Amino acid sequence: MIRPDDASSIFTIESEHAVKLPLDPNHSHHVFLPNQSYREAGLTRVALEKAIQEELSIRASTDASEAGKRVIPMVAFLFQGELDDLERVKAYCEQGIPVVVMEGCGGLGDVLSAAISDSAEMDGNRLRSSIDQKLHKTFPTLKNSEYGSVDTINLVLDILTLSHGDRHALLLSVVNCRLIDTFASLNSAVLKSAINSSSARASPELFASFLMLAVKCNKPDVATSMLLARPPWCNMELPVQAFEMALILPGREKFVDFYLLQQFPVRKYLSHLKLLKLFREAKDRQFFPEHVWEGILRYSLTQPIQPEFIVADLNKLISKLTGIRDYIDVYELSASAFGENTSVDVSTAERKAMNALLVFAALFNRPNLVKVLIKYSSEPLLQALFAESLYHGLYRNVSHFAMSEVLQFTCNQFAQIATDLLDKAVTVSPIRGHGILTRRFPDFNNKTPLEIAYDTNNKQFVAHTNVQSWLDQYYFNFVKVKGAWDNLKLFLSAIFIFPMYIWLSFPRLRKVPPVPSRDDIPSQDGVFRPKSAQDAEKILAKVQRIQAGEQAADRSTEVVPRPPFMEMLRAVWAAPAVRFYTWHMFYWMFLILICVDIMLPPCRFIGVDIAVFVLTISMWCEIVLRTVYDMQRFRRVHWVERSYDLISQTVFNILFFLYRIAPYRYDHPFAGRVILAFGIVYYCYRVWGWFYYMDKTIGPLIRVTVQMFRLDLSRWIVLIAPFLISTSLIFMGVINPDWPATGDDWRHAFYRGIFNLFGAFNNELEYTPACENPGTKVSPNSYLPSAPNGNRWIHKNRTGLADGQPDYRCWSGDYNNYNCATISFWSYFFVIQYYVFLKLGMGNMLTAFYVTRNIAAARQGPAVWKYHRCRIILDYATRTSLPPPFYALGYIYKMIRYCMKPKGSKGSHLSSGVATTGGNDSGDSFTYWKGLALEYFRGKEMQENMANMPRQQLDMLTGIQDDLTVLSKKLAAADRKILDVEESTKQTGVFMQDTAGHVMHKKQATLAEIAQPWPHKLARTSLYPGTTVARTFIPNDKVDWKEPLDDYRPEQFDGKSAKDKIAGSADDRPRSRKNSDISRKDSALNLQHVGGYNRADSRISDAVPLPSWITTSDKVPVDYSVNEYGLPLNPFGRTGLQGRGSLQRLGPNHKVFFAITNRQGDGFRFIVHQVPPKNISLLPQSVVGNEETEYGVACLILDAFLFDSNSLSGRDQDFSDIRSLQSMYDAVEKQVKGRLSSIIENFDRKPISLREVYRGYCDSPLNTDNAWLEVVVFQLSLPAFGIDRFTSYKWRVYSSDAGLPDFDAAIVRQLATEYSL
C-alpha cells in the first residue's frame, strides 16, 4: 500500500516491458494486488474493506471500555455490474455490509432490483422463473449454459436469503437511478441502508452516530422515519452531540424542532462554555464575523472570540441593539447546566437558556432557527418582540445596504409574528391577551411587551387594533365613563371630585366574588346540581316566570358596593388622560402669563417676570428628573428631542434671569424683551409636539407636516440656495450698481432676495420722478471737471460725505443717487428669470415635494400617529400624580423611595400608579402561551403547505402528461435510433481519441504537421461547419483511397454559389471572378481533351488554371486523381462528404496567409486583422480567385493593411503580372517604402525581408472528397512602427496562441520559434 504524496507518484510494474502507471491524486491510498482473477480480487477487496472498517471503529472509541461499541458505517453501491459481481455482493451480505442496488442503470443491478421486488410477492418457483427471465434478457450468454444459469439463480436466491436473515436488518435496498438528480441525493439511500442493516445491533452509541450523520447530511426526514419514530431506536435517549451539531450547522432547524418537541432540557446543555463554542464553531461564518464582529464590535476578523465576549461583550452588544441590559446571566446559565443552581426553578432556567440560544441564532442571522425557539418558548410574544428588536438593531447598525434590507424584512416578519400571536391570544382569551400588555418581565429589565415594542419602533405591533383598544382603556386607567365627552367628564371628576359618583365606574377596583368550592358542585361531570328539592323548585319557578315574560320581582340583584373614596380618587388622578389634560391646562395658563409679560413694561412688573421664571424652572426640573427616572427604568429616551428641550430651556432660563430679573436688567431692556420673545416662540411651537398629537384628526396631519419641514423643506432649500444667492447679488449689481460698499449693500441684497420669495416688490423697476430731475440724472458733461451748467456732482457715500473717489471712475448707473434704480434691458431680464425660475419653478417644486410626502405618508400616517400616541400615553402613565407645577416634587419623592429600597429590590420598576393586570408565572400561564405558540406555528406551516399543494399537484400532473407524451415519441423512434446511436458512439470514441492526441501534440507540432497530418483529422469532423450535414464515419485505416471501403456512399453537399466566400476569410471585397464550379459533364469533357483539373485548358474560354500546390519531398507538384464522374479526389483521402461544400470550386482552393512581423527589443510581434462584425483576430489572409496569382493576392493583402481597408479592391491596384517571389519582393518593397517612408525616419536604409514559409495542403473542416484547401504562407519582416489604435489591424506581441485559430497560431508559433533560435 502506498500513498500518492510519497516521494514518487508513479508505480512501475516489474516485467519484461516496464509500464509506468500514474496514481490518481484524488485517492488517499492505493492498494496493489498480485495477479488474481476478477472474482478473487473482488472477494479480497471485501475482506480488506471489512478489516479497515473494524480498525476505524476501534480508533473511533475514546477508551478501551468503548472498544467495539462505536461502529463506523460502511455501505456498498452496485452500479450496473456483471455476473462476476454476484460473489462480491454475497460476500458483502455475509459480512453484514449493506448494499444499495441502483435500479435502472442496467446490468446486474436491474436483475437484483427485480428479484428484491418479486421476492415479496412470488413463491419459490415463480421467483426462480422471474429471475431466470431477467438474467437471460440482461445476459444473453447464459442461454448457452444451462448449468451456469442454474448456479447464477441459486446465487441470487442465496443473496436474497442473506439480506433478509434478520427481520430488523435489511442488507439490500433499491434506489431508482431515474429519481437521482445529483450524487448528493444518494445521502438518503446511504443513511437508510446503514440504519436498516444495523437495527439488530442497535445501541445508544450507534444511535448517536447515525443521528449525527443525518444531521450532517441534513436529512431530517430520514432521521424521523428511520430513527426517531421506529423501534428500537425511538426508545433511546437523544444524544446531546447531535443537538449541538444541529446548532452549529446552518439549515438544521428541523432537528432542533424535534429536540425541543421532545422536551430536550436546554438548560442542562447550555453553559457559557457551550455558548462560546457555538459562537466559535458555527459554520455560517459570513454574517456574524463580517457584520457583527467586525462591523459593530470593531474587532479584527483574525482576532479569535475570547471567553470575555460571552461574559461581558455579549450583554453590551445586546444592550446596544435592543436597549435591554444584562440580558444573559452567565453565572446562572452555567450553574443550571452544572446542576448547582438551586435558587432558580426549572422553568426559569429553561427560559433563560432558550433566551441565550435565541440571541445566538439572531446574531448569526438564522431567522428560521429563531422561529423554532419562539415556537417552544414559554414567553413567545416576548421572544418575538425581542427578536424583532434584535433585528431592528442589526439592520440599523449594519452598513451593507443589501444586507440591511434583508434584515429589515426579517425584522418586519417577527413584528408580524408578535402581532399575530397577540391577535390570537385576544381571540382565545381576551383577559390573558390584554393582561400580558401590562405584565412586567424580569428578563427584559421589567419592561412590558408594549414598552419593548415601543422602544424598538415596532409600529406594526403598537398600531394593532387590539393594542390600540387596550390603550384606550389604559388611557383612562380602566375607568369607565358614562356617555359622551369622556375626556372632559373624567377631567372634571378629578377636579371637582363629586362628579365621579355620577359619571364614573371602577370595574378594576371591584372585588372579584370567590369561586364556588367543589362542595357546591357535587356532581363529577362539572354540571351544577341543586343540593335539595327546595332549591330545585325555586330554580324551576324562576325559569317559568322568565319564560312567561313576567317581571321577576324576587330576582336577586346583587348590589356591588363602590370602592373606597381614596382608591377611586387615586385611580382617577393616576389616569394618563387626567395627567395629560391637567398638564395641558397648566401649560396654556403659562402661555397666557408669558404672553402678558411681554406686553407689560419691564420696569414695573418684576413679579410677573419672577412668576414666569419659577414656572419655566419647574418645567426644566420636570424634564431633567423625568429623564433620570426613565434611565433608571431602562425606558427609551428620545435624546434628540429631549436634548433640544433641555438645551433650549436651559439657555432661555439663564438669559431670562440675567436680562429680566437680575439687578442690571434695566441696562438692556430691549434685549430682555427679545429673549422673552424667543421664549414665547419656543413654548408656543412645542404645543404641537406635546399636546396636538393626541387628537385623532390633527395628530396624523401634524406628523406629516413635521416630516415635510424636516425632510422636504431642507432639500428644497438646498436646491434653491444657488438661485437665491445669485439672484440677490445680481439685483444689487445691476439695478443699484452704485450702492456704496459699506456692508449695508449685503443686507439690502439679503432682504431683497428673501422677501421676494413671499411677495414681489412691484415697484422695483418703476421710474421715480425724483430720480428724473435734471440735477439727478447723470449726463456726459457732468463727468467733466467744470460742467457748463455748474452741475458737477461729487461721488458720495451713504452718509452724504465725499468718499474721495474720482467721479469718472466708480459711477456706473444712470443717476447720481444710488437709491435710484437703473432701468435697462438686463434689469428686466434678471428680474424676469428670477420670478420664472425661482418663484414659479422652485415654488411648484416645493408643492410637488409636499404632495409626494403626503401621498407616501397616507399609507403609514395612521400607524405612525398611533405609535406616537402610545408614546404620549406611556409617558404620562409614568409621571407622578401631583398636578403641575409640583411634578418635580413627585419625582423627587420617587427618587428618595428608590434610594431607600434594599439593594436586591432595585432592579424592579418603580410603580407608575396605574392599575395593571398581569398573569403570573404559574404552570397554567406557561402551558397556555406555549400551546398558543405551537398552534400558531403549526397553522402557519399548514397554510404554507396548502398554498403550495395546488401548484405541486398541477406540476405533477403536467409533468406526468409531458412524460407520457415524450415517452410515446421516444418509444416510436427508439428502434430506428439504436443503430444510429451505436454508430455515433463508435465514431465519437474514435474522434475523442483523435482529438485527445491532436490536443496533446498541437503545441509541439510544426506548421507542416498541423496543415497536413496523416490521416487528416479536421476534414473528417462532423457536422460540416455552419450546417446540419453529417459526414460518414471514416476509420483511420480507411482514409486512403487505395483501401477498399464497401458501400461508401457519402452525402453530397454543395454550397449556395461558387461566389460564396470561405468561412473565416478576411476578404470581403467583391470580385469579378469567373465561375469555377464545373459540372460533372463538363468535367468529364475536360478530362478527355486536356487531361483534367491539373492543367489549364487553352481551348475553353472559361477554363482556369487549377494546379495543385501539394508537392513531394523533391518539390515536384502532385497530380491528384479523379473518379469515374470526372470529379477530383482529395489527395489526402476520404472525408465522408462529397461535393464542393462551402468552398469556391471543385479541386484545390487556394488561399494566401501573409504574416507581417517585426522585432522590438526581445519580443516578436505580428499583425492581426480584427474582422467585423465580431472582431475575430486572424492573420491577414485571402483566397486566390480566377486569373489571380498567390503573389498578386499577397500584394493586395499588404496594400489593404497599409491603407487600413477591409476590401482588397478598395484602391483598384493591379498585381496580376506578379508571378514569382522576386517580382513580389520588388512590388512589396515599392509598396512599403511608398507608404512608410513618410512615417519612419530613414526608412530607405532599413532592411525588409520576404520569404515563403509554407506551401501545400491544409487540413480544414471545409474539405470534402472533391474540394479541399491549399495554402501558401508568406512572411514579411518590417522595421518597427506604430499603428493607429482605431484601425482594424493591430500589432500583437507573441506570448501564447490564445485568440487565434489553430492554423494561424501554428504559423505564429513557428515564426516565433525561428526568431528565438
Side-chain angles (χ1 to χ4, degrees), residues 938-954:
R938 287 170 181 170
K940 284 292 184 181
E941 293 174 0
M942 187 177 298
Q943 289 179 4
E944 293 177 359
N945 295 334
M946 292 297 294
N948 297 329
M949 187 175 299
R951 178 179 297 177
Q952 293 176 356
Q953 292 177 348
L954 181 60

Side-chain angles (χ1 to χ4, degrees), residues 775-797:
T776 304
K777 192 171 182 63
V778 176
S779 62
N781 294 330
S782 63
Y783 290 101
L784 299 176
S786 58
N789 55 6
N791 192 23
R792 170 184 171 85
W793 59 269
I794 300 175
H795 191 199
K796 303 176 181 180
N797 57 20

Side-chain angles (χ1 to χ4, degrees), residues 1096-1113:
D1097 190 346
S1098 59
R1099 297 182 298 171
I1100 302 177
S1101 60
D1102 61 348
V1104 293
L1106 296 173
S1108 175
W1109 287 349
I1110 304 174
T1111 60
T1112 62
S1113 58

Side-chain angles (χ1 to χ4, degrees), residues 254-265:
K254 291 186 178 180
F255 291 97
V256 179
D257 191 313
F258 182 83
Y259 265 77
L260 297 181
L261 181 63
Q262 300 299 320
Q263 299 181 0
F264 177 78

